[in-house]
Amino acid sequence: MIHAKQIKAIAFDLDGTLIDSVPDLAAATNAMLAELNLPNCSESQVRSWVGNGAEKLAERALSFVHDRAIDAAELADAMPLFMRHYQANLQQHSKLYDGVKPVLQQLHAAGYRLAVVTNKPYRFTLPLLEAFGIAEFFSLVLGGDSLAKMKPDPMPLTHLLTQWQLTPEQLLMVGDSKNDILAAKAAGIASIGLTYGYNYGEDIGLSGPSAVCEQFSEITALINSSAESTEQ
């Protein structure tokens, strides 16, 4: 249940929620593998590996092509390659999901404070938001390396509550992954799960968000209808 009349701020995930970034993540992953003289992987495979940060994505790709668990030294050798290639492929093929910019404009104009809470490294997050012309809507941006822990740990959301002096009832999390929903539950805040993003092939509804939307454009209508229902 979302009590929209109490909501003052909304936190959004990035990959799979605002931006379909898999095409560029896949390009960077395969460039890393090629430099290591390893076979490549498909875009659909990368799509199923996204969600726990860049290091976990690289680890999953390397484990897949080696067909075994990789050790810390192998991952440490590969990570600089991945980071360099992704820096060069941030917005070559990625795109905003339908409805993202107008909805963010509406919410910002309505007075909601907006934040990005992502597991993507911060160094890639802000350039992406700027490249797609949506950075101006966000008062705070947290990357996966901005704090000591990242989603599904609640730390980024509890940090947001503290920074903005909000009660849990005043913050809403919007994301496409169980990591977003689990973090929201642990922080005691409401959440909206989006069905179109990256959730390891699982139905986002199984994670138990407060509400489910199939399109980003449904978010404003859901918030407005929730607010109206509490007034009646």
Side-chain angles (χ1 to χ4, degrees):
M1 181 74 174
I2 295 176
H3 301 287
K5 285 292 288 183
Q6 298 181 55
I7 293 171
K8 305 294 183 186
I10 307 172
F12 293 91
D13 177 49
L14 181 62
D15 297 322
T17 296
L18 303 177
I19 296 171
D20 183 5
S21 53
V22 162
D24 288 318
L25 288 167
T29 299
N30 281 326
M32 171 193 74
L33 294 173
E35 197 162 343
L36 294 169
N37 296 313
L38 294 169
N40 65 11
C41 52
S42 71
E43 186 174 303
S44 63
Q45 287 168 329
V46 173
R47 196 170 290 274
S48 71
W49 296 333
V50 173
N52 299 98
E55 188 169 289
K56 198 66 180 177
L57 170 58
E59 180 187 341
R60 286 168 175 153
L62 290 165
S63 296
F64 172 77
V65 298
H66 282 297
D67 195 25
R68 60 170 173 78
I70 63 164
D71 59 36
E74 288 174 298
L75 183 58
D77 288 341
M79 278 309 297
L81 307 181
F82 176 85
M83 299 293 268
R84 173 163 52 82
H85 288 299
Y86 188 49
Q87 186 80 57
N89 286 280
L90 270 180
Q91 66 271 358
Q92 297 300 311
H93 309 289
S94 299
K95 59 184 178 63
L96 282 180
Y97 286 108
D98 290 343
V100 166
K101 192 165 187 177
V103 167
L104 292 176
Q105 288 174 323
Q106 292 164 18
L107 294 172
H108 186 265
Y112 291 101
R113 299 183 77 173
L114 307 181
V116 169
V117 177
T118 175
N119 286 348
K120 182 187 289 294
Y122 182 83
R123 65 187 274 196
F124 302 135
T125 300
L126 201 56
L128 263 179
L129 297 174
E130 291 170 346
F132 287 103
I134 57 175
E136 63 186 290
F137 302 123
F138 299 105
S139 303
L140 184 63
V141 176
L142 294 176
D145 50 359
S146 294
L147 301 171
K149 297 180 180 179
M150 62 183 178
K151 301 174 298 182
D153 192 279
M155 182 180 284
L157 296 176
T158 56
H159 176 82
L160 198 54
L161 292 173
T162 301
Q163 285 290 105
W164 285 352
Q165 298 183 324
L166 301 170
T167 64
E169 295 76 21
Q170 293 174 318
L171 179 62
L172 172 68
M173 177 74 213
V174 177
D176 64 298
S177 166
K178 62 183 178 183
N179 294 324
D180 304 309
I181 310 308
L182 292 172
K185 285 183 172 182
I189 71 172
S191 61
I192 293 176
L194 298 166
T195 63
Y196 58 74
Y198 323 140
N199 192 36
Y200 318 105
E202 300 175 17
D203 179 351
I204 191 68
L206 297 176
S207 298
S210 308
V212 174
C213 290
E214 294 185 0
Q215 302 292 333
F216 197 87
S217 56
E218 296 173 14
I219 293 171
T220 46
L222 176 61
I223 292 173
N224 292 337
S225 64
S226 299
E228 289 168 1
S229 66
T230 58
E231 292 175 345
Q232 295 173 357

